[in-house]
Amino acid sequence: MRALSAALKPAQAADLCTVEVETNTSVSTLVHAVQRPHPAPLAIFHYAGHASGDALFLESDDSGPAQAHAAGLARMLGNLPGLQLVFLNGCSTEPQVRRLLELGVPAVIATSRAIDDGVATRFAERFYQRLAQGAAIGEAYTDAESAVQVAFGEGGALFRTGVTRSQAPQAEADDLPWRLYTASGADAVRIWSLPAAAGDPLFGLPPLPDLDLPPSPFLHLRRYEREHCGVFFGRAAKIRELYDALTAERRPPVTVLYGPSGAGKSSLLEAGLLPRLEADHDVVVLRRDLSVGLPAMLADALKVADPAALPAAWHARETGSGRPLIVILDQIEEVVTRPLATGDDELTTVIACLKAVFGRPIDRPRGRVLLTLRAEWLASLLGRLEETSLPVARVELRHLGAEAVEEIIRGPASRPRLADFYRLQVEAELPALIAQELTADSEAAVAPTLAVLLRRLWDAAVAAHPARPVIRVADYQELKRGGLLDDFVEQQLQHLARQDEGWVDSGLTLDVWPHLEAWQQPGALRRRAQGATPTSPTSIACSSPARTCACWRGRSMPRATSCGARPRLAHDTLGPLIRARFEASNLPGQRARRIIRERVRDWEGDKVGGLLTPWTSLVLRGLSGMAALRQDGQRLLEASVHHQRVLRRDRRLIWIGVASLLLTVLGTAWLVWAGRVQARVVRLLTAEGNALVVRGRARRRSCRHRASAPRDLRLLRSR
């Protein structure tokens, strides 16, 4: 009693639980202790005393012996709604387990045989010490097993002599006498903990580093990183689960963190887990470089030339630092989705490295490996890991739930340091309202929508009251009328169009965005874009979308360089929105890409197929709005342009021939017509001339008409 009370004292001091002890217990006091009203639900029922497979041995009201029969006890305990664990720390209590689980108790710790009193006390003491430190039930049980084995070894020293063990088929001769049983479908009880139940899952973890707070408590669509750990909320339970998976004793050496796109795996690692893990662990985070590959990166991190030397290097590093080494391989699915140019099977090599380091339990280092990936690749990775027989723990990260959304909204106003720095107030009914509306669809990516919403609400609140911003329900009602993420994409397009209309009007921006993994906010776009005329894709260095647009036109996919990271989308969930715009776009770049995509299939390899005619000109106009064509597409375009030139030349020659023939015909007709007209005129003039001459001579003879003779002669000459 003294040992368990002392073990649970830190948890009581932190207001995580209350402990009630009943000594010299009778059946009536047991029933009263269980069934009387409590200010909080009864979470754990612990029995320490003599027992058997069908009863607990208690005292009667007149100080004589009495029994609490297992059937009635199970029925009574099974009716408690908040009960998580029944710990029967007496001899041979295993036969009582089945009935307890069937009647609704989630977890039971029981014994397979008679146990030594001192060993039983040590086991329970260690279990509750770890529980009071914040460990989950499964973690505390494992640590208690280890403590007993260290102190007493295995075998007969653990058991009470002179008493036969119960005939339980699950128990082997060399097993520890205790076992943790869970009901079907209640495996989650293994991760139940006092801090989580009390609303403080981070209790007992190392404190966060003392870092400066960011100017805004809401980062829009930026990923949370180490410097943002002070304003990272909503993932406390997962931080605890991951921390325990990577640090607790007797846990699998490999842990897999998986979840859907947009759930926030990278932010959870960088802002939630790493700042706490780094306090007492040596942590290495590797994000795959496509030009190097994970095996080479892992070897470089441990300073070895050959991956075969990783086990020795791992032990040497832990010995030198005095701390366990934790290696995190982030987004490991990229070894499949973006294979190396060399064609090497990178995943096989990575798994072989893990097998070399952790394959032999006796030689395993103290550290662990954490692999993160998208949920759709989990089955494939687990199948490969099972081939190596490496134990693997799985941690699933789902989209934000209602409680997490409310925690994120209230977070900056909930802690004294944050409240004093940001002076933010949130109307009381707003968190529940937003949480209810955003989580109505359980499969929706809540995090990015919430990030955009909160940043806009914060900006509006600061604009209205800079000294004491208030986030109001009315502002939220005004903002939610439009689609937040789609509206955000539209704003970014307009932002880019104001700096260079050609990027948007040609379709160049929509051609770039679907290929980027995570695009960062545009900033100083024009300044970054000026002078950006690299000679090859590998010279692209900046993550700005403007610089990307300037380099993308007529070039291939940008890659990371020593000057900066590969351009990225603000959040993965923007991908489907941008992809939908890309597919529906009728801008020159997208029209040209669709035409090329349909025709280039006949030109793959060394094949020669149909040409782009009559769309060659349209494709040429769209080249400024798309990336450089691959070799097959380039051959198709060159052949189409050549064919178009030939057609134009032939058309010119035909038009020249037709024009020449027409001119010849017209010239000949004109000459014939002119000859006929001339002959007729000559005949007419000849007859009229003779008449005029005769008339003129007659007039000259007459004095009366002598004055008109010169005029008649001039008329004759003109004709």
Side-chain angles (χ1 to χ4, degrees):
M1 182 189 66
R2 288 193 296 270
L4 300 194
S5 297
L8 288 166
K9 188 175 181 178
Q12 292 188 84
D15 201 25
L16 299 181
C17 66
T18 58
V19 179
E20 298 179 0
V21 180
E22 294 289 345
T23 59
N24 302 321
T25 308
S26 65
V27 174
S28 60
T29 56
L30 171 63
V31 172
H32 178 69
V34 171
Q35 294 184 342
R36 71 169 178 260
H38 292 81
L42 179 61
I44 299 176
F45 174 83
H46 182 91
Y47 174 76
H50 297 298
S52 68
D54 55 8
L56 305 181
F57 299 149
L58 307 177
E59 294 184 3
S60 66
D61 294 332
D62 57 0
S63 300
Q67 293 186 4
H69 295 283
L73 181 66
R75 187 172 293 107
M76 181 177 64
L77 295 177
N79 290 329
L80 299 176
L83 186 65
Q84 302 295 326
L85 172 68
V86 172
F87 193 155
L88 301 179
N89 202 20
C91 295
S92 306
T93 56
E94 189 177 45
Q96 301 187 35
V97 171
R98 182 181 60 82
R99 185 177 284 108
L100 286 165
L101 297 180
E102 289 176 350
L103 293 176
V105 177
V108 180
I109 296 178
T111 58
S112 60
R113 63 177 75 182
I115 53 177
D116 179 80
D117 290 349
V119 177
T121 300
R122 179 65 63 87
F123 181 87
E125 180 182 20
R126 179 58 179 169
F127 176 83
Y128 287 108
Q129 282 176 347
R130 291 291 292 125
L131 207 65
Q133 292 169 2
I137 287 176
E139 213 61 62
Y141 174 81
T142 301
D143 288 350
E145 280 190 326
S146 301
V148 167
Q149 287 178 323
V150 170
F152 299 98
E154 296 181 351
L158 303 177
F159 309 121
R160 192 176 178 190
T161 59
V163 180
T164 59
R165 52 170 284 198
S166 65
Q167 301 300 318
Q170 299 93 333
E172 301 294 337
D174 294 332
D175 278 350
L176 291 174
W178 295 273
R179 182 166 295 181
L180 173 61
Y181 303 87
T182 57
S184 177
D187 290 338
V189 73
R190 288 180 172 270
I191 61 173
W192 184 92
S193 66
L194 288 174
D200 187 13
L202 301 179
F203 171 80
L205 296 187
L208 291 173
D210 188 12
L211 301 176
D212 293 335
L213 294 172
S216 169
F218 307 115
L219 304 186
H220 206 259
L221 287 177
R222 289 180 58 193
R223 180 174 61 191
Y224 283 81
E225 298 178 349
R226 186 177 185 273
E227 59 267 28
H228 309 133
C229 61
V231 293
F232 182 71
F233 295 96
R235 293 298 191 183
K238 286 301 172 184
I239 294 172
R240 181 80 207 203
E241 185 178 356
L242 272 177
Y243 187 90
D244 289 343
L246 295 174
T247 62
E249 297 180 5
R250 300 182 64 179
R251 290 298 298 267
V254 179
T255 299
V256 176
L257 172 65
Y258 67 97
S261 176
K265 296 182 289 295
S266 296
S267 294
L268 171 65
L269 290 179
E270 294 192 15
L273 178 66
L274 294 183
R276 296 173 171 88
L277 201 60
E278 291 170 348
D280 46 18
H281 290 77
D282 185 7
V283 183
V284 173
V285 181
L286 299 179
R287 291 185 176 87
R288 181 170 175 265
D289 184 346
L290 185 59
S291 63
V292 179
L294 277 178
M297 295 175 67
L298 186 58
D300 182 66
L302 295 180
K303 295 180 173 53
V304 295
D306 184 4
L310 284 176
W314 197 301
H315 282 284
R317 179 156 178 165
E318 289 189 340
T319 302
S321 66
R323 302 187 297 174
L325 172 62
I326 306 294
V327 175
I328 299 175
L329 305 181
D330 195 15
Q331 298 179 345
I332 196 173
E333 72 274 6
E334 287 192 3
V335 302
V336 179
T337 59
R338 298 172 58 203
L340 296 175
T342 58
D344 296 340
D345 189 351
E346 191 176 357
L347 182 59
T348 298
T349 307
V350 170
I351 292 177
C353 292
L354 299 182
K355 176 68 173 178
V357 175
F358 299 106
R360 297 181 58 192
I362 194 172
D363 293 332
R364 283 177 187 165
R366 292 184 296 160
R368 308 279 166 76
V369 168
L370 175 64
L371 311 176
T372 74
L373 73 162
R374 294 184 181 180
E376 56 265 32
W377 296 98
L378 177 64
S380 176
L381 177 64
L382 290 180
R384 299 292 297 274
L385 288 172
E386 286 176 359
E387 297 174 0
T388 65
S389 301
L390 282 175
V392 178
R394 288 178 283 180
V395 177
E396 181 182 11
L397 184 67
R398 298 182 179 180
H399 290 301
L400 291 172
E403 292 183 3
V405 171
E406 293 188 35
E407 179 187 344
I408 292 171
I409 298 171
R410 293 194 180 99
S414 63
R415 296 179 181 176
R417 182 191 179 205
L418 301 183
D420 182 65
F421 184 80
Y422 295 113
R423 298 182 177 274
L424 175 65
Q425 299 179 28
V426 180
E427 289 190 352
E429 62 272 22
L430 183 61
L433 176 62
I434 295 177
Q436 180 182 2
E437 296 184 355
L438 291 188
T439 60
D441 182 0
S442 60
E443 300 299 324
V446 176
T449 304
L450 181 64
V452 174
L453 173 63
L454 291 180
R455 183 53 183 265
R456 292 192 182 181
L457 289 173
W458 164 261
D459 291 341
V462 171
H465 301 283
R468 288 191 174 276
V470 180
I471 296 181
R472 306 180 186 277
V473 174
D475 295 334
Y476 167 65
Q477 298 289 1
E478 182 67 24
L479 282 177
K480 76 172 185 177
R481 293 177 183 175
L484 290 173
L485 290 182
D486 195 65
D487 187 40
F488 169 72
V489 173
E490 182 63 31
Q491 285 186 357
Q492 302 312 306
L493 286 172
Q494 294 175 4
H495 184 63
L496 288 172
R498 286 194 295 269
Q499 298 172 66
D500 190 331
E501 293 183 1
W503 292 342
V504 178
D505 294 344
S506 67
L508 178 65
T509 305
L510 287 181
D511 194 77
V512 174
W513 280 355
H515 295 81
L516 306 184
E517 296 173 355
W519 171 58
Q520 293 180 353
Q521 295 289 337
L525 299 182
R526 173 61 65 184
R527 178 177 58 79
R528 290 175 178 263
Q530 290 176 348
T533 55
T535 58
S536 68
T538 56
S539 60
I540 295 176
C542 296
S543 59
S544 165
R547 183 67 174 270
T548 302
C549 288
C551 300
W552 185 261
R553 181 175 286 132
R555 291 179 167 82
S556 302
M557 183 65 192
R559 301 176 181 176
T561 68
S562 59
C563 299
R566 180 184 180 127
R568 304 180 71 86
L569 285 172
H571 204 279
D572 291 345
T573 50
L574 292 174
L577 297 177
I578 293 171
R579 174 60 64 179
R581 285 175 174 262
F582 174 79
E583 295 296 339
S585 172
N586 203 33
L587 294 173
Q590 283 69 64
R591 295 177 65 187
R593 179 174 289 279
R594 285 194 288 268
I595 294 171
I596 289 286
R597 184 172 54 196
E598 291 297 326
R599 295 295 182 121
V600 78
R601 300 170 184 172
D602 298 333
W603 289 75
E604 294 178 353
D606 296 328
K607 295 188 297 183
V608 176
L611 300 175
L612 295 174
T613 309
W615 300 290
T616 304
S617 298
L618 190 150
V619 172
L620 290 175
R621 288 196 300 271
L623 287 180
S624 61
M626 58 186 296
L629 298 174
R630 297 178 183 271
Q631 183 178 359
D632 298 337
Q634 189 65 33
R635 289 196 303 115
L636 167 60
L637 182 59
E638 291 175 355
S640 299
V641 170
H642 176 72
H643 180 67
Q644 186 181 54
R645 290 174 181 170
V646 171
L647 289 179
R648 289 178 179 175
R649 183 196 63 190
D650 292 345
R651 282 197 294 268
R652 283 197 300 269
L653 292 177
I654 292 174
W655 278 109
I656 291 173
V658 171
S660 299
L661 179 60
L662 182 60
L663 289 175
T664 301
V665 172
L666 291 176
T668 303
W670 183 83
L671 290 174
V672 172
W673 176 81
R676 290 178 179 178
V677 171
Q678 183 178 11
R680 184 178 179 183
V681 169
V682 169
R683 287 194 302 270
L684 292 174
L685 290 179
T686 301
E688 186 177 357
N690 291 334
L692 290 174
V693 170
V694 173
R695 203 165 39 245
R697 287 177 181 176
R699 288 177 180 175
R700 280 198 300 272
R701 291 193 189 110
S702 174
C703 295
R704 189 176 49 188
H705 298 290
R706 187 170 299 171
S708 63
R711 181 175 58 82
D712 295 338
L713 289 176
R714 285 195 301 271
L715 178 62
L716 177 62
R717 291 191 190 98
S718 66
R719 292 188 176 181

